[in-house]
């Protein structure tokens, strides 16, 4: 049954009204709720646009069948077929793209913008009056007030576009109803008009597509509408519109080109009022869609006036906008009133009009980069810290020099009375030998009377040495039992490789935010990416990649990717099974091929020029639409282009977003990972050769690539590490042995078996530590397996050398029992002191919240403790067996074989001389350091290095370059390099609002939104402000706001969006057929919905905002609404995962996200600073708005550690240093000695940090672990020398030399040389992380520790070491040696 229509009177091409139904202007409007018009609000200037319900009822007429006489339906404006097709449906998929995919789920919601821009251009064609000058040479009509340039619609082009009549006529007076309609849309048009009802209806229908883009800024919308109203209906249009070209269509003269005259001031102000208006769905400006990204009013008007080819969207004829005229031709360029976007009566938001007076003063302080203090001296400029350190150093240097001179003068004057007489035989012995102990003398064990702990320790070690010597087998087995039992825990051994479990503290802010984001919204998707690039020749730029051959190659690659099939648990997995599908139809593949809809046939038809066309018109041309119905920004699929010159791009970036799932069992993403492994194999085996054959480069990655490559790295350098340890083992065996006078004695005097046994004890201590923590459920890490053996080996080898050398120093006349006990009394306290300090330092540093460093500290503390216990028990027992073997003349490593007594007699007859290193320390090293000039140079140089290191350490950069962590031959090396080189977009940034209260009683809505009537300091307005200074805020664009789009979608002004049937159900836009009413079972196949009205009138809203009930009822409608040309604000796809609707019926939305983007981030510092800036901004906004707001980006969880990495490093270093100081003070009872040790350790750490800055080593968890470890190794360099100094007798100079001759050789052999030979091997590791963080840092540590422990520390002790304490001998046990031969 045909619907009933209302009759509407209109105007034809004559001067009078037409009253008969047979006239052109007569048409039918479906009966029902009347059409809604835009007009000025009679109640409020702040809301100039409103919808008035006007019934066009003049005469009721029954409809007639098609082809019969009578009224026909009012002709709708006919869009081109391409625009009315399903291709117009915008996906607006929520874009969470990172690095190569702009947006998290790129939606085509906005493709409707393309249709809108095209339709707006056609407004100009269909309703604009034309001039009278014709192309056949006829002269133009003289401009005159009250006359039109064109009037009526005469014909259609071959593609269906309508053409206006080149018809000069006098303006026509409309009837009251028509005048009211015109006034509702064009309040500046009064009196006579130059448009027909058909033209006005066309204008009215088309502007509804622009309203959703501009309604947030009423001033811009009013100006934009006025521009078209003046062009189409102004009674004086002949004054500023001239037809400059006509053509004949069906014997009718139609317009083919016009000139439109406007003043430059009008054009400039018009552009300024609209240039900043946002289109949030794609985080861009409305000008990108309505003006093709115009940068000036001339570009904007040129975009609107360009003539389209047949079957292409755009104007059917050329419109040339002309500036002011200087002649007297009678032309009067349009100079109508333009409303400023800052006009408070029109209520533009601050995001749409940053220049508004209410927006100039942001409540937030602008984020600024840290400005450092500097001092300028002539042409030199230095930081204040550097200048201060130089001044302090020079003052300190002068003070030391002055003190040295005074000390020397005073020493000369008081020398006779300062000579100290020897107190006992030992003092005489030393004084007769220049303070040195004769090589064959027996040192009488002494203990400081003021140190009870050392006294008890000496007593304990004497008894312990005697017991071990008598019962070596019992001690050996008993001591080995503990670590062997602990090793049983290795059956539970597991390695933690997940980065978030290594570098993110449990309960950290970012971890909680990520969990909240994933559980309430959606986890970030997985990224599979290809980068094809051209190669630059010598000293020339890389050529463009945009050519025919490369695009054809890209189609071949795309086909291979589409055809790829992977096997997962017996099922076949393709990309279509796992990819991200915004509208559940096509994958959201980001590729330049999307301009051809991934179809090679389209490329053959359109050619490469179409791609270049889409580079400039991707957002406004329907033919550039992707398969998933979204515009594809060329900056996301191209790379290496200068500025915005996309045609000169040197790289294609292809991104395949894949659905991600929150992992709970670890199996949720196995299907995707199976496809990713097949994808990597395909690229390596088939695609890479194809690309190389075209002289291009290819880099690629999958989501699981980093994890797979890290796993490969863990085994890649296993051989290198083993070789490093073997070299150290060999050196240890060599350095522990004696130097026989005859070659035949070498087999007896060597201690290879003893050294190997000691290394086994070190490994047992490490395995015992790992086994213990594995048994209690603590997972190990790669750092533990790589660093702790090195640390424990350094400590263990040092103790081994000290013990063996101490036993060797004992006189040959003593029985083995006495030699062992005396050696333990001599070096046992220092070994205990060093080990105890290391164990407690590592234990206390385990309070660090970062898992990687906390676990390392725990494992290290346990390993060092076990190593110490094994050294003073099992290794002492092994020393007993080895010395007995040597006394019996048995061959090393083959103890069952014995050399003849004559072969070894020569070496056993007398005491062997000092070891080469010991002789060097005694005869060369010590005496050189005794010169005052040398001491002054040493102090000056080392203090200078310390001050320089303080300055350099402030330049340490936090971060960990991904290329360093990966193996050198990893395919990801080239991928990360290409990302840094070619990528032009930054990762997405989400501002998440918790518990958004949308009820009418709350102000949360206006505190967040950024359209008119929103607070000037709202969240989205402040984000827009921050985007104006991206160099400090790292925010590239205003945020996409579901709330803004929802409020616009609900607005009565957007009369094509929120509509409802009479029954109250949702009514879709007319361009989304079929029109089906929910639960009614009836559909209109023609697509036009009848009996539909807007959801609300202005009277239904409160200050332009919905009530709680309205908000709650219409939000699901909005999220399920497809965007299209009639309404580009539909939320399906674009905002499907932007908010959590669970429990929203109570007036609270638990989580809602607003997406923007960071600026391109190329360096580690950029990632850290961008995260810090976003955190600071969110924190300030949360405080100002009294809401819970936090930022989220996919990389935050990995970079949070760097926000506090300095705090973590300083805390760990200070805790370790403080612990060492306390232990030293308790054990030695000497504040003086403990302070010296603390200062030297601090200098070692500072110098190491300075070297890190010079070498460009970044501050991260690995370097922090190394710094903590450096304290443990540095303790070995300092404590033994200091303890030996305190136990020696004589003045400071002599005691320093004695300490060097006794302990210096052991420290040098046990740590310095051992580590050097092992570290050098690491230089050849395949992984850059070993070269940078292990070879370079360990080498620097060994050298710095050696220089401070064996050069700086002895000099300091000789100058200002602790004074000699009153010593008392400890009675040595006279127990006869045991005859036990176990």
């Amino acid at each position: 049954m045909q619907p009933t229509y209302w009759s509407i009177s209109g105007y034809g091409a004559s001067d009078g009204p037409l009253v008969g139904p047979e006239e052109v202007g007569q048409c039918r409007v479906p009966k029902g709720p009347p059409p809604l018009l835009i007009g000025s609000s009679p109640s409020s200037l702040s809301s100039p646009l409103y919808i008035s319900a006007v019934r066009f009822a003049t005469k009721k007429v029954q409809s007639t069948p098609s082809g019969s006489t009578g009224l026909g339906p009012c002709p709708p404006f006919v869009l081109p077929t391409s625009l009315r097709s399903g291709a117009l449906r915008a996906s607006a998929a929520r874009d969470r793209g990172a690095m190569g995919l702009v947006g998290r789920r790129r939606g085509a919601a906005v493709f409707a913008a393309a249709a809108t821009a095209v339709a707006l251009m056609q407004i100009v064609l269909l309703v604009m009056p034309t001039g009278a000058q014709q192309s056949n040479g006829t002269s133009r009509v003289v401009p005159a007030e009250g006359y039109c340039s064109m009037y009526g619609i005469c014909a259609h082009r071959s593609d269906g576009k309508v053409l206006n009549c080149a018809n000069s006529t006098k303006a026509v007076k409309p009837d009251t109803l028509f005048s009211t309609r015109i006034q509702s849309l064009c309040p500046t048009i009064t009196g006579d008009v130059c448009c027909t009802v058909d033209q006005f209806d066309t204008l009215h229908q088309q502007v509804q597509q622009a309203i959703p883009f501009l309604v947030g800024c009423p001033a811009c919308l009013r100006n934009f509408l006025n521009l078209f109203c003046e062009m189409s209906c102004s009674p004086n249009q002949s004054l500023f519109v001239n037809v400059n070209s006509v053509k004949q269509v069906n014997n009718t003269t139609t317009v083919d080109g016009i000139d439109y005259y406007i003043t430059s001031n009008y054009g400039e102000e018009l552009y300024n009022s609209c240039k900043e208006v946002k289109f949030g769905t794609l985080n861009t400006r409305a000008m990108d869609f309505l003006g093709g990204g115009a940068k000036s009013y001339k570009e904007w008007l040129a975009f609107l006036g360009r003539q389209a080819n047949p079957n292409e969207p755009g104007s059917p004829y050329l419109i040339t906008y002309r500036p002011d005229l200087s002649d007297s031709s009678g032309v009067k360029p349009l100079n109508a009133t333009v409303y400023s976007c800052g006009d408070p009566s029109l209520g533009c938001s601050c995001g749409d009009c940053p220049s508004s007076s209410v927006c100039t003063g942001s409540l937030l302080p602008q984020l600024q980069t840290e400005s450092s203090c500097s001092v300028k001296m002539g042409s030199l400029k230095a930081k204040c810290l550097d200048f201060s350190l130089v001044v302090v150093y020079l003052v300190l240097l002068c003070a030391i020099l002055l003190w040295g001179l005074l000390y020397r003068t005073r020493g000369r004057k008081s020398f006779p009375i300062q000579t100290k007489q020897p107190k006992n035989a030992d003092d005489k012995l030393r004084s007769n030998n220049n303070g040195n102990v004769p090589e064959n003398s027996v040192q009488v064990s002494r203990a400081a009377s003021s140190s009870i702990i050392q006294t008890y320790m000496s007593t304990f070690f004497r008894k312990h040495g005697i017991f071990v010597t008598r019962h070596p087998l019992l001690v050996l087995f008993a001591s080995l039992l503990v670590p062997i039992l602990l090793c049983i825990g290795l059956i539970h051994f597991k390695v933690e490789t997940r980065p978030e479990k290594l570098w993110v503290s449990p309960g950290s802010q970012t971890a909680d935010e990520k969990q909240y984001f994933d559980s309430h919204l959606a986890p970030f998707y997985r990224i599979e990416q290809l980068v094809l690039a051209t190669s630059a020749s010598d000293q020339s730029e890389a050529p463009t990649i945009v050519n025919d051959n490369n695009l054809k190659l890209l189609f071949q690659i795309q086909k291979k990717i589409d055809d790829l099939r992977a096997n997962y648990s017996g099922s076949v997995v393709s990309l279509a099974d796992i990819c991200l599908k915004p509208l559940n139809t096509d994958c959201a593949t980001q590729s330049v091929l999307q301009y051809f809809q991934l179809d090679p046939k389209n490329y053959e038809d359109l050619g490469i020029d179409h791609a270049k066309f889409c580079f400039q018109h991707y957002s406004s041309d329907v033919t550039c639409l992707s398969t998933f119905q979204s515009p594809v920004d060329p900056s996301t699929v191209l790379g290496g282009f200068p500025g915005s010159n996309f045609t000169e791009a040197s790289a294609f970036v292809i991104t395949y977003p894949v659905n991600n799932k929150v992992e709970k069992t670890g199996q949720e993403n196995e299907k995707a990972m199976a496809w990713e492994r097949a994808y990597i194999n395909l690229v390596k085996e088939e695609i890479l050769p194809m690309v190389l054959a075209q002289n291009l480069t290819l880099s690629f990655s999958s989501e699981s690539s980093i994890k797979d490559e890290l796993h490969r790295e863990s085994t890649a350098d296993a051989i290198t590490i083993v070789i490093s340890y073997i070299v150290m083992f060999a050196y240890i065996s060599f350095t522990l042995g004696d130097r026989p006078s005859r070659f035949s004695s070498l087999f007896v005097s060597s201690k290879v078996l003893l050294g190997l046994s000691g290394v086994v004890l070190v490994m047992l201590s490490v395995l015992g530590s790992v086994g213990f923590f594995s048994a209690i459920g603590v997972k190990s890490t790669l750092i533990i397996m790589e660093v702790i053996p090195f640390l424990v080996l350094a400590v263990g080898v040092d103790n081994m050398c000290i013990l063996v050398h101490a036993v060797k120093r004992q006189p040959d006349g003593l029985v083995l029992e006495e030699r062992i006990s005396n050696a333990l009394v001599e070096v046992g306290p220092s070994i205990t002191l060093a080990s105890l300090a290391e164990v407690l330092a590592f234990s206390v540093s385990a309070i660090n919240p970062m898992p990687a460093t906390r676990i390392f500290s725990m494992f290290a503390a346990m390993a060092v403790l076990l190593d110490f216990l094994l050294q003073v028990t099992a290794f002492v027992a092994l020393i007993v067996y080895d010395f007995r073997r040597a006394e019996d003349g048995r061959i090393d490593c083959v103890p069952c074989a014995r050399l003849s007594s004559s072969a070894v007699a020569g070496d056993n007859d007398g005491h062997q001389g000092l070891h080469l290193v010991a002789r060097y320390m005694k005869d060369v090293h010590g005496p050189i350091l005794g010169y005052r000039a040398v001491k002054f140079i040493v102090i000056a140089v080392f203090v200078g290095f310390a001050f320089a290191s303080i300055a350099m350490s402030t330049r340490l950069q936090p971060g960990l370059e991904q290329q360093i962590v990966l193996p050198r031959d990893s395919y990801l090396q080239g991928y990360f390099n290409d990302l840094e080189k070619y990528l032009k977009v930054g990762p997405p940034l989400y501002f998440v609002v918790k518990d958004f209260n949308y009820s009418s009683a709350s102000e949360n809505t206006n505190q967040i939104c950024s359209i008119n009537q929103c607070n000037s300091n709202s969240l989205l307005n402040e984000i827009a402000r921050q985007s104006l200074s991206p160099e400090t805020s790292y925010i590239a664009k205003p945020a996409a706001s579901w709330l803004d789009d929802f409020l616009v979608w609900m607005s009565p002004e957007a009369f094509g969006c929120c509509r409802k049937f009479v029954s109250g159900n949702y009514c879709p836009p007319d361009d989304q057929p079929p029109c089906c009413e929910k639960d009614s079972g009836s559909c209109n196949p023609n697509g036009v919905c009848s009996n539909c009205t807007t959801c609300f009138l202005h009277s239904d809203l409160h200050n332009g905002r919905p009530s709680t009930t309205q908000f709650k009822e219409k939000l699901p409608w909005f999220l399920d609404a497809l965007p299209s040309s009639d309404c580009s604000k539909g939320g399906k796809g674009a905002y499907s995962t932007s908010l959590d609707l669970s429990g929203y019926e109570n007036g609270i939305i638990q989580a809602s996200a607003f997406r923007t983007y960071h600026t391109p981030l190329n360096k580690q510092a950029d990632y850290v600073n961008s995260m810090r800036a976003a955190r600071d901004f969110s924190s300030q906004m949360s405080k100002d708005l009294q809401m819970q707001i936090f930022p989220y980006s996919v990389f935050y969880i990995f970079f949070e550690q760097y926000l506090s990495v300095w705090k973590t490093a300083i805390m760990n270093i200070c805790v370790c240093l403080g612990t060492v100081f306390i232990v030293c003070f308790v054990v030695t009872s000497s504040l003086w000695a403990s302070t010296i040790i603390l200062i030297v350790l601090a200098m070692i750490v500072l110098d190491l940090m300075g070297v890190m800055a010079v070498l460009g080593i970044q501050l991260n968890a690995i370097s922090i672990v190394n710094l903590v470890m450096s304290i443990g190794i540095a303790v070995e360099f300092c404590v033994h020398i200091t303890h030996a100094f305190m136990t020696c007798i004589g003045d400071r100079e002599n005691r320093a030399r004695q300490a060097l001759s006794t302990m210096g050789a052991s420290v040098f052999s046990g740590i310095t040389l051992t580590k050097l030979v092992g570290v050098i091997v690491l230089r050849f590791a395949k992984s850059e992380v070993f070269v940078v963080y292990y070879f370079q840092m360990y080498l620097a540590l060994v050298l710095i520790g050696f220089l401070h422990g064996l050069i700086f520390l002895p000099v300091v002790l000789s100058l200002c070491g602790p004074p000699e304490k009153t010593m008392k001998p400890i009675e040595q046990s006279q127990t006869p040696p045991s005859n036990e031969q176990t």
Side-chain angles (χ1 to χ4, degrees), residues 435-471:
N436 296 326
V437 180
E439 294 180 9
N440 297 328
S441 65
V442 181
Q443 298 184 32
V444 180
S445 299
R446 299 173 180 271
S449 60
S450 58
S451 178
I452 301 177
I453 294 179
Q454 289 197 68
T455 302
Y456 281 114
M457 288 174 63
S458 298
T459 304
F460 167 79
F461 278 113
R462 179 168 299 283
K463 295 179 180 180
H464 175 69
I466 295 173
F467 180 80
V468 173
T469 308
R470 293 177 177 178
H471 311 283

Side-chain angles (χ1 to χ4, degrees), residues 1278-1344:
C1278 301
V1279 168
H1280 298 302
I1281 300 292
T1282 305
H1283 184 268
F1285 176 85
M1286 295 176 64
T1287 58
C1288 293
I1289 298 176
D1291 58 18
R1292 290 189 176 97
E1293 186 71 36
N1294 291 330
R1295 289 158 61 202
R1297 291 189 184 183
Q1298 293 174 43
L1300 274 176
S1301 63
T1302 56
M1303 283 296 175
S1306 299
V1307 171
F1308 182 74
S1309 301
I1311 299 181
T1312 307
L1313 296 181
T1314 304
K1315 293 300 145 215
L1316 279 178
V1317 297
V1319 165
I1320 291 175
V1321 178
L1322 295 179
R1323 175 62 183 84
F1324 304 99
K1326 295 181 180 180
S1327 300
E1328 193 70 17
V1329 68
F1330 277 92
V1331 176
V1332 174
Y1333 289 96
Y1334 298 131
F1335 169 70
Q1336 293 182 1
M1337 285 196 71
Y1338 286 6
L1339 182 61
L1341 168 61
V1342 172
L1343 295 179
I1344 292 172

